[in-house]
Amino acid sequence: MSGYAGQSIWKSLGRAAFLSVAVSFVLFPILWLALGSVKTRNGALAVPPEFIFQPDFTAYTRIFTQGFLGSFQTSLTIALTNVVLTMVLGVPAAYALTRMTGKVQENLSFWLLSVRMAPLFAVIIPLYVLFRGIGLLDTPIAVALAHLTLTLPMAIWMLVTYFRSIPIDLDQAALLDGATRLQVLWIVILPIARPMLASVGIIVFIFSWNEFLLAFILTSRDAQTVPVAVASMAGTMSFDWPLIAAVSIVSMIPALLFVGVAQRHIVSGLGAGAVK
């Protein structure tokens, strides 16, 4: 009995040590950014690093005085627009795919997967030519639509997996009661799928908020997102590390808030499903 207790203690200690290392590995870059954001420019680049210093919050005040708020507003507009478009188009498409049978369903599913697997550079050039032709270059809607080409297939595939786990008997019962397919989706399926919808919304928002390459190619000045603005601050010989670190820290806040709100919806959705 004592041997089993000893093994259990060692397993617990091993799990605790592993989790501590994993958490430290994840949090270290954030901590390093936070420290760099409250140092002077020379202090942030000092070798060896300074761990005892007088905090300087000038970099955070410069976020409001050097035009970065416009980039935050643009990123938020693009991310929220992409979430709305992805959910409005992806939810009905995923539901339709789960209720279809035969070769048509298989071919459509494979086509969606192939689009998501395409190299990003294969998507950028056609989108650039298209948006330039219709006058949408350097606009938030252009970046949101470009993100949609990547997030929509991803969302559909995630939702298809979840919708397939919902018994089709629920659809048939609602149809027998006189409901249309749209009413079945809206009244029966969506309330059950709220946890998954929240999860997909989180993933789409974070992807769109952090995406760099499409935003960099399709924008220049008027619709510059936060990742593009941060990259533009890096010079060839020197760069303002405290300002870059401060913008990076502040850019985490909207994503964390969105995740926090969505998590509450996930919990409420799971609770509602358990009650039902």
Side-chain angles (χ1 to χ4, degrees), residues 14 16 18 34 54 59 69 110 113 118 126 156 165 173 180 183 207 214-215 231-232:
F18 177 79
Q54 181 68 31
L69 290 181
F110 178 77
L113 180 61
I156 290 175
S165 66
T180 64
Q183 290 174 329
F207 170 86
L214 288 171
S232 66

Side-chain angles (χ1 to χ4, degrees), residues 86-87 90 94 150-160 200 204:
T86 299
M87 302 307 289
L150 300 176
T151 58
L152 183 58
M154 175 184 64
I156 290 175
W157 269 86
M158 293 177 64
L159 291 171
V160 161
V200 172
V204 171

